[in-house]
Amino acid sequence: MAPYLFLCLFPFFPHLYASFSSSGSHSCSSLIQFKDSFSITEVASLYCDEIAGLKSYPKTNSWKEGTDCCSWDGVTCDHLNAHVIAVDLSCSWLYGNFPSNTTLFLLPHLQKLNLAHNDFNQSKIPSEFGGFTSLFYLNLSYTGFAGEVPSQVSYLSKLVSLDLSCWADEQFTIDKHALEGLVHNLTEVRHLFLDRMDMSSVNAHVFMNLSSSLRSLSLAYCDLQEKFPKNIFDLPNLNLLNLGGNPNLNLDPLKFNRSSNLEHLDLSWMSFSTDFIDSIDNLQALKYLDLSGNSFFQGLSFSITNLSSLEYLILRLANVFGGLPDSMGNLVSLKLSGPVPRSLGNLLQLTHLDLWQNQLSGQIPRSLGNLLQLTHLDFAEPIEWANSIVNSKPNAAGILGNIWKFF
Ligand SMILES: *[C@@H]1O[C@H](CO)[C@@H](O)[C@H](O)[C@H]1NC(C)=O
Ligand SMILES: *[C@@H]1O[C@H](CO)[C@@H](O)[C@H](O)[C@H]1NC(C)=O
Ligand SMILES: *[C@@H]1O[C@H](CO)[C@@H](O)[C@H](O)[C@H]1NC(C)=O
Ligand SMILES: *[C@@H]1O[C@H](CO)[C@@H](O)[C@H](O)[C@H]1NC(C)=O
Ligand SMILES: *[C@@H]1O[C@H](CO)[C@@H](O)[C@H](O)[C@H]1NC(C)=O
Ligand SMILES: *[C@@H]1O[C@H](CO)[C@@H](O)[C@H](O)[C@H]1NC(C)=O
Ligand SMILES: *[C@@H]1O[C@H](CO)[C@@H](O)[C@H](O)[C@H]1NC(C)=O
């Protein structure tokens, strides 16, 4: 009875048949061979837990030869024909050289590949990656790949998301032609993360023709040179822009468009020295702003109050001559160095206050005791401050309860 029923189902549920067919098991043995080229060690994904805040564990431990790989942890198949279409081995403790002839390349239907936060021991990215022509998501961030990114990555013209961010010590580089190809061919790209890739030999102008679908562009610490194309700031869907840590990049005069949907802007450590961001007032959707490490000789020339959506303001080691404005909007998080504005006590929604490397010479604003939502507080000279808060306001008890958590 049961076998008969099974056969009868095939015309209606072809995927049932396909998952038992031989095309599926080929892919399974390719995956096993891929996994076997690495050793499994927790340190390979250490920073996954520590920095990305994700849980790492050896996903491939559940991969057993002779079982259907469509059910393995990190593997997704197309229901219709049992092709492996997604492999997510991010944070999976993989360690070892990445073989350029790996059987992973025998999975031509792959649409999503995430190998982030493993350690491929300074291997080069094999040019064969360019053969994954169905890929729309590729994430090789923090994988210990090193050397030059092969120009074949630009063949992946369906990519919607590409993350090749790396550690500073990996000397991951990309040359002018590869980057030009990438910008030219990736017409669908929405999320592009290339943090810390060495672009010192490339003119930042190359990013001019990026897809108008772009939502995230992250080029932190890339050693970008010359002028950044202005039109990027006008991209209607741009939500995240991180250009932090590029002191040689020429941005000014910076004009933000009123119709901008930018929510996350990082322009830290750019060595600006003028009031280059007048038009930041236009960014009505802005929630996160990092201007650490810059100098503002005429104070902050924009009005934080006018940034009605701003929640996170980070000004670590910024020189703000003329101090901060008295009114500071609706911040929930503030990371400051430099003088502490009195109006801090007006930020009733504040949950994170970080006064890292502050010169705490002046008076502690008594109003700090108003910040009853505060759950995170960091500052340099804790004990004196804690005492001052105790002495400054009877209702400081709420904040104090939180302070002691940090010592
Ligand atoms: C990592 O790379 C070093 C230097 O190239 C090499 O000696 C070592 O065998 C590699 N380790 C693994 C596990 O591949
Ligand atoms: C890859 O090449 C190495 C030698 O370069 C060889 O030992 C290994 O069997 C090859 N693997 C595959 C899957 O072809
Ligand atoms: C890449 O993967 C890591 C780990 O899963 C994740 O934190 C990161 O957001 C991913 N990047 C993109 C662009 O999806
Ligand atoms: C764009 O991709 C196609 C294949 O998808 C490739 O033949 C071509 O060389 C690529 N162009 C650039 C500029 O990289
Ligand atoms: C951008 O595209 C235009 C029109 O296709 C072209 O003339 C220009 O050279 C491109 N610029 C860059 C930097 O690739
Ligand atoms: C603002 O951006 C839109 C497209 O998003 C563009 O049409 C318009 O010219 C821009 N305005 C300014 C002042 O740059
Ligand atoms: C705040 O924005 C309004 C218009 O929305 C403008 O009239 C005013 O000048 C701005 N204030 C500052 C200090 O920029």
Side-chain angles (χ1 to χ4, degrees), residues 291-308:
L291 296 171
S292 299
N294 299 312
S295 296
F296 303 93
F297 290 111
Q298 280 125 54
L300 287 184
S301 58
F302 59 96
S303 158
I304 298 175
T305 323
N306 263 16
L307 294 174
S308 53

Side-chain angles (χ1 to χ4, degrees), residues 233-237 255-260:
F233 297 101
D234 287 340
L235 291 179
N237 300 310
K255 285 284 169 234
F256 290 104
N257 194 319
R258 263 217 170 271
S259 58
S260 165

